[in-house]
């Protein structure tokens, strides 16, 4: 029920934000995620920062607090200029995580997301949380830091 409400809310907000666009594809993009701060058993990573980096068909998820990195594959689909879905499968050691993000933009670089895990290395296996994101191009970030 919580996911349905949040999804409806985020889609409605996203449809109002007609002046923002999510990227057509994620290759060579970086998404910085902050997980909402409200801790509960279904949100054990509350307040954590993650960095997702993408190549054509691979994803890396780095938990910035401890530099733990998961690797895997992803599928990305933009449903509307302001709404997109990212499905991924990650491995950390022998553990497999399968999850989905629903992104809704506030601007061309920022917005909110709903995260839904159906299997994962972080328990409980089935859980959801929300947060905010920033999208950047990997090349631009590298050039600016040199």
């Amino acid at each position: 029920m919580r996911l349905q409400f949040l999804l409806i809310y985020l889609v409605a907000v996203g449809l109002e934000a007609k002046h923002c666009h999510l990227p057509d594809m994620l290759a060579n993009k970086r998404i910085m995620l902050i997980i909402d701060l409200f801790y509960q058993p279904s949100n054990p990573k509350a307040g954590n920062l993650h960095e997702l980096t993408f190549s054509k068909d691979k994803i890396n998820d780095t938990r910035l607090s401890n530099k733990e990195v998961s690797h895997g594959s992803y599928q990305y689909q933009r449903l509307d200029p302001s709404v997109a879905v990212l499905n991924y499968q990650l491995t950390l050691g022998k553990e497999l995580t399968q999850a989905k993000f629903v992104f809704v933009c506030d601007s061309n670089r920022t917005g909110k997301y709903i995260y839904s895990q159906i299997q994962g290395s972080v328990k409980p296996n089935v859980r959801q949380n929300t947060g905010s994101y920033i999208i950047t191009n990997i090349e631009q970030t590298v050039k600016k830091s040199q």
Side-chain angles (χ1 to χ4, degrees):
M1 183 62 93
R2 177 179 170 215
L3 173 63
Q4 291 171 338
F5 173 77
L6 287 172
L7 186 57
I8 291 168
Y9 172 77
L10 288 175
V11 169
V13 169
L15 293 176
E16 287 180 18
K18 296 183 191 293
H19 300 294
C20 67
H21 293 79
L22 285 155
D24 292 326
M25 52 190 200
L26 294 179
N28 300 315
K29 301 284 186 202
R30 171 180 289 124
I31 300 178
M32 302 300 292
L33 304 169
I34 182 161
I35 301 168
D36 281 344
L37 298 173
F38 181 65
Y39 177 83
Q40 55 187 347
S42 63
N43 188 17
K45 290 186 169 186
N48 280 325
L49 293 172
H50 280 254
E51 175 188 58
L52 305 178
T53 54
F54 300 88
S55 66
K56 182 179 177 185
D57 56 357
K58 300 292 181 197
I59 180 175
N60 291 324
D61 177 358
T62 305
R63 185 175 179 179
L64 295 177
S65 62
N66 64 5
K67 302 295 184 194
E68 182 178 82
V69 180
S70 300
H71 309 280
S73 60
Y74 73 94
Q75 303 80 44
Y76 175 78
Q77 180 181 14
R78 201 170 76 165
L79 305 175
D80 178 84
S82 61
V83 180
V85 175
L86 168 66
N87 288 289
Y88 70 58
Q89 304 79 39
L90 293 173
T91 55
L92 176 62
K94 294 181 180 181
E95 293 281 338
L96 175 67
T97 298
Q98 293 180 311
K100 174 191 300 188
F101 285 92
V102 176
F103 294 105
V104 177
C105 63
D106 292 329
S107 75
N108 288 347
R109 299 230 182 250
T110 64
K112 305 288 186 217
Y113 70 84
I114 299 171
Y115 172 84
S116 301
Q117 178 180 287
I118 58 170
Q119 176 182 341
S121 57
V122 176
K123 306 304 181 214
N125 257 345
V126 178
R127 62 188 179 87
Q128 293 179 314
N129 58 45
T130 58
S132 300
Y133 71 85
I134 300 170
I135 298 176
T136 63
N137 292 328
I138 292 174
E139 305 86 27
Q140 289 178 349
T141 305
V142 171
K143 287 178 185 176
K144 287 181 182 179
S145 66
Q146 293 178 349

